[in-house]
Amino acid sequence: MTAPHAATVIDGKAFAARVRGQVQAHVAQLAAQGIVPGLAVVLVGEDPASQVYVRNKGTQTVEVGMASFEHKLDAATSEADLLDLIRQLNADPAVHGILVQLPLPGHLNSDLIINSIDPAKDVDGFHISNVGLLGTGQKSLVPCTPLGCLMMLRDHHGSLAGMNAVVVGRSNIVGKPMAQLLLGDSCTVTIAHSRTRDLAAVCRGADILVAAVGRAEMITGDMVRPGATVIDVGINRVERDGRTRLVGDVHYASAAAVAGAITPVPGGVGPMTIACLLANTLTACCRAHGLPVPEGLTA
Ligand code: NDP
């Protein structure tokens, strides 16, 4: 009898620890030159999930030797006051990266706020200038979650050139930049979305399948080509057996039975996102000082 197929599990937690280690080593080298990379995180309001993210970002920033500046503003903060804070951060030489935690309260115009950040400090990569630079294959700051996915794929495969990649989801923060990055690495890229016809058949064409849908366990094993690499970006909270569990957009058990490699949830893409935020802050700091950007930490 042949042994059941076992996909390689791509361990995002271990990979993220490696990336943080690389960042920390470079930060130590900068410290010897009197340079301390600084990350400012702005949180408006008291959304509990956002508070947890901001706390984790602050802790990890300090752990790698960077300076962390947290700005917690009241939910009723006016657009003018928020813009004023961003102007101050743009002008502050101790701040190399600025992140405004999304979502913002409804009375604030997110596009206006994000586009007021100095693009050279836009470590989330959401400023329209960075979106344009990525789209035209120029040096930019790249959104953290897709950057983390790209790093894991490069690590697993080496070159991605010529591979068929299918990205399910076309959001501005994950799907579209992910597709651009894969195109930049010479994949043949298909972007699928809620209007795609015969999604299963499209997915089965993928050597690399990235799920960024926001629907628990929607991508099942029958949609995965045998041997494909599956990257699950989804984070969904579901009630199961009376407990709240985190699951991805991929049905892990059935997909892992056919995939060649797969990222788990939790412990896959999630931990890479903050690691890439730190990498982007280091990149922004090096560029601000006219220093070379460390290899392997950018797109
Ligand atoms: P959005 O809701 O912004 O986008 C979801 C996309 O999925 C849309 O393009 C939508 O298509 C598409 N979609 C929805 N239903 C279907 C369907 N039935 N078939 C095919 N496509 C469908 O989500 P995000 O991109 O912001 O996030 C995606 C997932 O990634 C979420 O689970 C989120 O929690 C997670 N996430 C994880 C991060 C991490 O650090 N690991 C960071 C960011 C997000 P259409 O455009 O047609 O509506």
Side-chain angles (χ1 to χ4, degrees):
M1 218 169 81
T2 49
H5 167 84
T8 301
V9 179
I10 299 178
D11 184 344
K13 206 171 157 193
F15 197 108
R18 237 159 73 200
V19 172
R20 285 197 304 274
Q22 279 172 275
V23 170
Q24 188 168 14
H26 287 290
V27 169
Q29 286 172 18
L30 290 176
Q33 302 172 57
I35 298 170
V36 180
L39 172 64
V41 176
V42 181
L43 174 64
V44 186
E46 272 145 29
D47 177 66
S50 294
Q51 283 178 327
V52 174
Y53 291 141
V54 167
R55 198 172 331 120
N56 287 343
K57 285 168 187 170
T59 307
Q60 294 193 26
T61 303
V62 172
E63 276 171 5
V64 296
M66 296 183 180
S68 168
F69 308 98
E70 280 183 25
H71 296 266
K72 293 187 176 156
L73 308 182
D74 191 84
T77 299
S78 70
E79 205 159 82
D81 283 349
L82 182 52
L83 288 170
D84 197 47
L85 171 62
I86 292 172
R87 262 192 295 275
Q88 288 171 38
L89 297 173
N90 283 343
D92 186 344
V95 172
H96 302 95
I98 302 169
L99 180 149
V100 176
Q101 184 66 43
L102 300 176
L104 287 169
H107 68 284
L108 299 170
N109 178 339
S110 301
D111 287 339
L112 179 78
I113 302 296
I114 297 302
N115 288 323
S116 72
I117 298 172
D118 178 348
K121 297 188 178 188
D122 167 41
V123 281
D124 249 345
F126 295 158
H127 189 289
I128 195 71
S129 297
N130 282 316
V131 175
L133 289 168
L134 175 61
T136 50
Q138 299 180 70
K139 200 172 68 180
S140 62
L141 285 165
V142 174
C144 303
T145 300
L147 177 58
C149 297
L150 183 76
M151 283 184 185
M152 290 193 287
L153 284 166
R154 283 179 176 169
D155 184 65
H156 185 71
H157 286 286
S159 169
L160 308 180
M163 296 179 88
N164 288 333
V166 174
V167 179
V168 190
R170 56 174 163 178
S171 73
N172 290 334
I173 63 167
V174 188
K176 283 182 199 155
M178 185 75 251
Q180 294 283 7
L181 288 171
L182 291 165
L183 192 58
D185 271 29
S186 298
C187 291
T188 302
V189 182
T190 304
I191 306 178
H193 46 77
S194 67
R195 309 292 295 273
T196 296
R197 284 193 209 136
D198 200 350
L199 181 65
V202 172
C203 290
R204 278 194 295 269
D207 303 312
I208 293 169
L209 179 59
V210 181
V213 192
R215 288 177 186 260
E217 301 178 325
M218 197 196 90
I219 306 291
T220 45
D222 58 309
M223 300 165 82
V224 177
R225 170 190 281 193
T229 298
V230 178
I231 304 288
D232 189 355
V233 181
I235 301 177
N236 308 286
R237 282 181 172 73
V238 295
E239 295 298 324
R240 206 161 281 168
D241 309 325
R243 285 170 55 193
T244 305
R245 289 174 187 275
L246 279 191
V247 299
D249 291 343
V250 175
H251 185 269
Y252 186 83
S254 64
V258 281
I262 187 165
T263 59
V265 175
V269 175
M272 286 299 289
T273 297
I274 299 186
C276 287
L277 173 67
L278 303 176
N280 275 351
T281 305
L282 176 63
T283 296
C285 177
C286 290
R287 287 183 185 154
H289 288 274
L291 297 168
V293 174
E295 261 183 50
L297 296 176
T298 52

